[in-house]
């Protein structure tokens, strides 16, 4: 497909093509993410000012914005340097003053001669019993009254850019909008009652009243949908392309799967059984698998992953499971080793720690097919790692890996099936935004025998009691985690907080009992400290958040999270899931510092009330917003200019099904509506999608 359609050229020209915008303003306006007139169209007003004309300021509620026709009266220049310049004015019923500071020479005398008439608009306040309008927003001759809108849009601003500049530039950009064909499904359009695109942008920039600024206003909702639709089309194209890539049929006879299931001391949950069969079907089909497995802490994802890898082995191939850290990779190894022995297959681990001869031996065994399942860190990506017949790649805790790495892993074999796992429950709207190209399976039941975790809120003032509680748990043979506060600014500060707490607990509980783990430690030291805790040599593990994902110590029954109010809800939920893994009752103590804000208290209470990770993540999204929730590191989620992910999840879901439907009926976007959709992709800067169509 050739370049950008010609009718969009004016919208993508430089900002300086707009009358009134010079190089300096163009430079300043970039801070708002505006590079071309097109970007101004999607930078909508955030509020508005009612500037409807009144006959008089008499009877108006002050202070307030008033627009009124006045006759200019007597001028009072300032008596002292830097004083105020005042002009007496009269409307039909009352008099008030216009006030200006920094007046130069006879400027106002010339501009507003006594006896002339002007329409003025601005905020009027009463000062010392006199009504004043200080620096009116608008002063125009009577015949130019129409240049002041009845309802004036207020735009987001940045240094060096005024409302007037934004308003004029937006109006000039609107004049460039061409008539475009409709890309929205006609049934959806009439159901929602949306205007066409050209009318929608104009209406969004020229609100007539306050209600026109709501996200539910038809014009705004339509533009939000257009944005989401373009994004979902891009993901749907990526998905369609992945599905067209020849996969391989990986069929097994279930002899290994049933051997392991028979040896388990419990029966898998029905959710696990459902997901195992979804994955078996995916692997058996000709299309390549690209599935996201979401399961709350302790929902049993590891078993599902192992079953999937056994299916690859049954078909004569290999499976790889990749974890984000060395500790997690080793832990997967420990939990899977007994299952591998039941199945009678060879499981090996590969991390950055493997060097020299030992590494060579492993790589050789892998290349010959003697190792059937490999567990490792991103070291499994390295160029010299070759498999004999890799069928399935599983990525644990996807948010630590970008989409690019997901693809790299898939290149390690012939048409490798990919399964991505995450224990972070992702709210529906975000999972659609981030993983819309994938099929999603959700494990929404806890395996039997998981005891609920008691969660309590305790103020830092009761630190002494908390330490006593630990002492009692330790003497009854239990272990405890102590997570230190998260200090955003620097890992160094995190570290001092953790070290101070470590010293304090060692002094209170005994030297050998307490270990410390933090992000700055050399890997070997970190692993050694973790190992001491896992084997029960140390009873208390003081840590920064390095333990959040996957660490498994069934004997640990107390989780103390210090300054819990500094963590996100989803993160607190993850941390809490580190206890309650054995047969003893477990407790999570959320330690907060007074005074706790209203919002902070509400967040912690949600945790006390529920253990449902999905409910918690939805609350987290509502309270913190999408940007904070995923943090800047997870840039997998697009930034929308008009759409609001927190409040328009429903719209995102409609856009996803519309996009998939459109591509089902018209995979190359050649029909009339398909060509309109291409235009939408260009308009929304989705060049990636356009490339996918043309390579498709």
């Amino acid at each position: 497909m050739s370049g950008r359609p010609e009718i969009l050229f004016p919208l993508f020209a430089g900002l300086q093509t707009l009358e009134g915008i010079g190089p300096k303003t163009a430079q300043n306006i970039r801070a708002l993410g505006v590079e071309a007139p097109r970007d101004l169209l999607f930078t909508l007003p955030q509020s508005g000012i009612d500037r409807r004309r009144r006959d008089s300021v008499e009877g108006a509620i002050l202070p307030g914005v008033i627009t009124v026709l006045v006759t200019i009266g007597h001028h009072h220049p300032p008596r002292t340097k830097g004083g105020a310049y005042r002009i007496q004015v009269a409307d039909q019923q009352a008099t008030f003053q216009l006030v200006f500071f920094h007046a130069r020479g006879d400027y106002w005398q010339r501009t507003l001669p006594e006896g002339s008439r002007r329409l003025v608009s601005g905020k009027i306040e009463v000062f010392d019993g006199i009504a004043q309008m200080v620096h009116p927003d608008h002063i125009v001759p009577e015949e130019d009254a129409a240049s002041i809108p009845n309802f004036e849009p207020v735009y987001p601003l940045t240094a060096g850019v005024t409302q007037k500049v934004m308003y004029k530039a937006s109006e000039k950009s609107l004049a460039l909008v061409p008539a475009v064909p409709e890309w929205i499904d006609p049934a959806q359009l009439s159901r929602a009652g949306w205007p066409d695109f050209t009318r929608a942008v104009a209406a969004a920039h020229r609100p007539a009243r306050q209600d026109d600024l709501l996200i539910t206003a038809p014009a705004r909702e339509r533009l939000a949908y257009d944005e989401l639709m373009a994004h979902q089309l891009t993901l749907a194209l990526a998905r369609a392309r992945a599905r067209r890539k020849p996969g391989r049929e990986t069929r097994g006879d279930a002899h290994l799967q049933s051997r392991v299931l028979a040896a388990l001391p419990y029966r898998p949950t029905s959710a696990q059984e459902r997901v195992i069969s979804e994955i078996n079907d995916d692997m058996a089909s000709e299309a390549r698998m690209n599935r996201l497995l979401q399961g709350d802490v302790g929902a049993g994802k590891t078993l599902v992953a192992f079953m999937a890898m056994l299916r690859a082995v049954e078909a004569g191939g290999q499976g790889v499971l990749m974890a984000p850290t060395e500790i997690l990779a080793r832990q997967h190894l420990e939990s899977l080793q007994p299952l591998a022995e039941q199945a009678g297959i060879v499981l090996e681990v590969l991390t950055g720690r493997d060097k020299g001869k030992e590494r060579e031996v492993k790589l050789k065994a892998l290349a010959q097919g003697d190792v059937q399942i490999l567990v490792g860190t991103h070291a499994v990506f390295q160029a010299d790692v070759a498999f004999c017949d890799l069928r399935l790649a599983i990525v644990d805790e996807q948010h630590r890996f970008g989409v690019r790495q997901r693809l790299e892993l898939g290149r390690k074999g012939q048409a490798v099936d990919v399964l991505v796992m995450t224990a972070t429950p992702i709210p529906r709207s975000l999972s659609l935004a981030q993983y819309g190209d994938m099929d999603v399976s959700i494990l929404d039941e806890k395996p039997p025998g998981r005891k609920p975790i008691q969660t309590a809120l305790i103020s830092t003032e009761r630190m002494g009691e908390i330490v006593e509680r630990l002492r009692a748990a330790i003497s009854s043979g239990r272990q405890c985690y102590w997570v230190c506060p998260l200090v955003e600014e620097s890992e160094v500060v995190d570290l001092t907080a953790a070290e101070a707490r470590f010293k304090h607990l060692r002094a209170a509980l005994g030297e050998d009992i307490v270990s410390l783990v933090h992000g700055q430690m050399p890997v070997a030291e970190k692993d050694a400290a973790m190992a001491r805790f896992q084997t029960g040599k140390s009873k208390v593990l003081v840590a920064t958040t390095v333990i959040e994902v996957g660490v498994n110590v069934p004997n640990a029954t107390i989780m103390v999270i210090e300054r819990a109010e500094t963590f996100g809800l989803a993160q607190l939920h993850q941390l809490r899931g580190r206890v309650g893994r054995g047969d003893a009752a477990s407790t999570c103590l959320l330690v907060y510092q007074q005074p706790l804000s209203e919002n902070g208290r509400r967040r912690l209470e949600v945790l006390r009330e529920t253990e449902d990770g999905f409910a918690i993540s939805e609350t987290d999204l509502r309270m913190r917003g999408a940007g904070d929730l995923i943090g800047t590191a997870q840039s997998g989620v697009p930034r929308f200019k008009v759409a609001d992910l927190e409040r328009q999840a429903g719209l995102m879901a409609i856009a996803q099904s519309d996009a998939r439907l459109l591509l089902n009926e018209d995979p190359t976007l050649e029909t009339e509506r398909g060509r309109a959709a291409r235009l939408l992709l260009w308009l929304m800067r989705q060049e990636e999608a356009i490339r996918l169509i043309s390579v498709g």
Side-chain angles (χ1 to χ4, degrees):
M1 172 172 181
S2 53
R4 182 180 292 124
E6 208 164 315
I7 64 167
L8 296 180
F9 284 1
L11 286 176
F12 284 86
L15 283 173
Q16 292 174 50
T17 54
L18 297 176
E19 188 191 326
I21 292 199
K24 192 150 176 34
T25 309
Q27 188 53 47
N28 291 338
I29 218 165
R30 283 215 173 89
L32 292 170
V34 173
E35 301 279 342
R38 173 259 172 231
D39 304 320
L40 281 165
L41 296 180
F42 293 96
T43 306
L44 298 186
Q46 52 200 22
S47 60
I49 300 169
D50 188 344
R51 294 202 189 272
R52 277 175 300 195
R53 274 174 76 164
R54 295 176 61 102
D55 293 335
S56 172
V57 301
E58 192 66 52
I61 300 163
L62 301 183
V65 172
I66 309 279
T67 306
V68 65
L69 186 66
V70 296
T71 303
I72 305 292
H74 193 60
H75 286 241
H76 302 274
R79 296 199 193 91
T80 57
K81 190 170 161 43
Y85 189 108
R86 299 169 189 279
I87 305 174
Q88 204 67 27
V89 296
D91 61 30
Q92 290 179 17
Q93 299 164 25
T95 60
F96 59 97
Q97 289 183 345
L98 302 184
V99 180
F100 301 94
F101 293 98
H102 316 299
R104 295 221 180 107
D106 61 351
Y107 175 80
W108 290 116
Q109 216 81 58
R110 288 198 322 272
T111 320
L112 302 177
E114 202 166 325
S116 63
R117 287 161 71 76
R118 295 286 187 273
L119 187 66
V120 295
S121 182
K123 189 176 183 183
I124 292 195
E125 299 189 66
V126 177
F127 194 70
D128 280 350
I130 300 167
Q132 307 184 332
M133 187 184 283
V134 179
H135 286 277
D137 302 321
H138 299 272
I139 307 176
V140 300
E142 196 174 357
E143 60 272 20
D144 293 344
S147 69
I148 301 180
N150 281 336
F151 188 79
E152 184 178 34
V154 174
Y155 288 93
L157 298 180
T158 178
V161 179
T162 61
Q163 276 306 332
K164 203 171 258 169
V165 166
M166 281 301 282
Y167 178 69
K168 281 192 169 151
S170 301
E171 283 294 319
K172 294 271 186 273
S173 301
L174 286 172
L176 303 174
V177 177
V180 291
E182 187 53 82
W183 45 75
I184 299 180
D185 172 53
Q188 169 60 29
L189 201 61
S190 67
R191 218 181 8 252
W194 292 331
D196 65 32
F197 178 76
T198 313
R199 281 205 196 91
V201 257
H205 282 274
R206 297 171 186 147
R209 54 186 190 284
Q210 213 55 45
D211 284 1
D212 294 345
L213 297 163
L214 300 173
I215 61 170
T216 48
R220 283 196 171 224
E221 198 176 64
R222 145 114 214 195
L223 295 178
Y225 173 89
D226 288 340
E227 239 184 341
L228 298 172
M229 176 71 171
H231 171 66
Q232 286 298 332
L233 262 176
T234 306
L235 290 173
L237 281 161
R239 177 173 183 260
R241 188 170 175 212
R243 296 187 140 206
R244 279 201 305 276
K245 279 193 186 145
R248 287 171 76 194
E249 294 181 21
T250 296
R251 297 173 185 279
D253 55 8
H255 74 280
L256 296 177
Q257 286 187 343
S258 38
R259 204 183 291 168
V260 170
L261 288 174
L264 289 177
Y266 55 86
R267 227 196 113 170
T269 63
S270 53
Q272 284 175 311
E273 287 174 349
R274 182 189 73 237
V275 175
I276 289 169
S277 96
E278 284 172 352
I279 292 171
N280 282 343
D281 291 348
D282 265 6
M283 291 176 70
S285 90
E286 285 178 12
R288 200 179 286 200
M289 173 165 79
N290 190 21
R291 187 171 283 279
L292 172 70
L293 172 59
Q294 273 186 303
D296 210 341
V297 176
K301 290 183 299 298
T302 315
L303 177 68
V304 172
F306 190 66
M307 287 293 152
M309 291 193 287
L310 287 181
R311 178 51 47 114
V313 177
E314 287 169 0
Q318 294 165 299
V320 62
L321 169 60
M322 190 170 73
T325 64
E326 174 104 24
I327 291 173
L328 277 177
R330 302 218 166 261
Q331 190 173 292
H332 276 310
L333 178 74
E334 279 158 35
S335 58
L336 296 178
Q337 198 72 60
L339 299 177
E341 279 162 18
Q342 292 292 342
I345 60 166
V346 180
L347 174 73
E348 193 48 273
V349 65
L350 183 72
T351 68
R353 228 199 291 172
D354 294 300
K355 299 272 189 296
K357 192 79 192 123
E358 192 187 341
R359 187 164 188 275
E360 267 172 50
V361 172
K362 281 187 188 178
L363 292 184
K364 190 171 177 197
L366 192 64
Q368 287 172 349
D370 300 339
V371 171
Q372 287 139 315
I373 294 182
L374 181 68
V375 174
T377 55
H378 53 264
V380 301
F381 274 151
Q382 288 160 350
D384 60 349
V385 179
F387 292 82
C388 173
D389 179 13
L390 180 62
R391 299 286 186 109
L392 171 69
I394 302 183
V395 182
D396 190 19
E397 286 311 319
Q398 152 65 19
H399 62 267
R400 310 285 182 91
F401 297 105
V403 176
R404 205 191 70 247
Q405 287 166 302
R406 210 153 80 193
L407 296 171
E408 265 179 39
L409 192 61
R411 291 198 195 102
K412 280 282 178 199
Q414 290 310 126
V416 175
D417 284 326
V418 175
L419 177 69
V420 165
M421 303 197 293
T422 176
T424 313
I426 307 167
R428 179 154 164 262
S429 58
L430 289 187
S431 90
L432 286 176
Q434 204 171 1
Y435 302 115
D437 59 327
M438 307 183 80
D439 298 302
V440 179
S441 295
I442 294 179
L443 287 176
D444 45 14
E445 296 170 53
K446 288 262 163 74
R450 275 258 168 174
K451 291 204 169 51
I453 301 166
Q454 279 309 127
T455 301
L457 275 55
I458 299 187
S459 142
T460 44
E461 289 148 17
R462 296 167 59 190
M463 200 54 90
E465 291 172 46
I466 300 170
V467 175
E468 284 316 304
R469 188 147 177 193
L470 289 198
R471 197 190 303 280
I474 292 166
S475 63
S476 69
R478 295 294 167 194
Q479 289 170 276
C480 318
Y481 290 103
W482 190 299
V483 178
C484 290
L486 190 65
V487 187
E488 282 300 320
E489 285 68 56
S490 82
E491 291 192 357
V492 181
V493 189
D494 275 355
L495 192 54
T496 39
E499 283 179 333
R501 179 59 62 210
F502 171 58
K503 287 183 183 135
H504 168 222
L505 290 174
R506 263 177 41 167
L509 301 169
E511 292 272 322
D512 303 337
I513 285 182
V514 190
S515 305
L516 171 68
V517 172
H518 58 75
Q520 303 284 301
M521 278 182 164
V523 174
E525 270 178 50
K526 198 189 301 184
D527 286 357
M530 288 297 296
R532 283 189 59 217
F533 186 67
Q534 275 169 324
T535 53
K537 287 201 180 79
S538 66
K539 304 298 180 195
V540 178
L541 182 68
V542 175
T544 50
T545 52
V546 290
I547 58 161
E548 77 181 276
V549 197
V551 176
N552 195 18
V553 181
N555 189 41
T557 57
I558 295 185
M559 165 65 73
V560 179
I561 304 174
E562 201 175 337
R563 295 292 308 277
E565 75 277 9
T566 61
F567 292 88
L569 271 178
Q571 200 173 21
L572 289 169
H573 175 65
Q574 289 281 315
L575 287 165
R576 171 170 65 182
R578 301 295 112 225
V579 294
R581 295 176 160 246
D583 42 19
S586 292
T587 315
C588 174
L589 303 178
L590 301 174
V591 184
Y592 62 88
Q593 187 161 336
Q594 299 275 27
L596 194 54
S597 70
E598 188 46 43
N599 206 350
R601 175 172 299 282
R602 274 217 342 261
R603 289 195 9 229
L604 297 182
E605 282 170 352
V606 167
L607 276 163
R608 187 170 62 192
E609 282 148 28
T610 178
E611 277 194 66
D612 175 350
F614 285 94
I616 288 169
S617 75
E618 292 289 350
T619 308
D620 205 10
L621 178 66
R622 274 201 305 280
M623 293 177 79
R624 287 203 301 164
D628 288 341
L629 195 61
I630 35 221
T632 38
Q634 288 177 319
S635 48
V637 173
R639 297 253 176 269
F640 295 112
K641 296 272 282 193
V642 182
D644 178 328
L645 272 186
E646 289 97 280
R647 296 185 292 165
Q648 293 181 309
L651 207 56
M652 173 72 100
I654 295 170
Q656 185 190 51
S657 67
D658 287 358
R660 288 187 175 184
L661 205 64
L662 173 60
L663 282 177
N664 250 345
E665 293 164 4
D666 180 10
T668 52
L669 298 181
E670 292 299 346
T671 61
E672 200 173 324
R673 192 175 148 221
R675 302 202 78 76
R678 289 177 176 229
L679 202 63
L680 168 69
L681 291 169
W682 278 114
L683 185 63
M684 293 298 180
R685 298 190 180 279
Q686 296 283 351
E687 279 82 356
E688 182 60 34
I690 311 238
R691 231 184 359 264
L692 285 169
I693 308 173
S694 36
V695 227

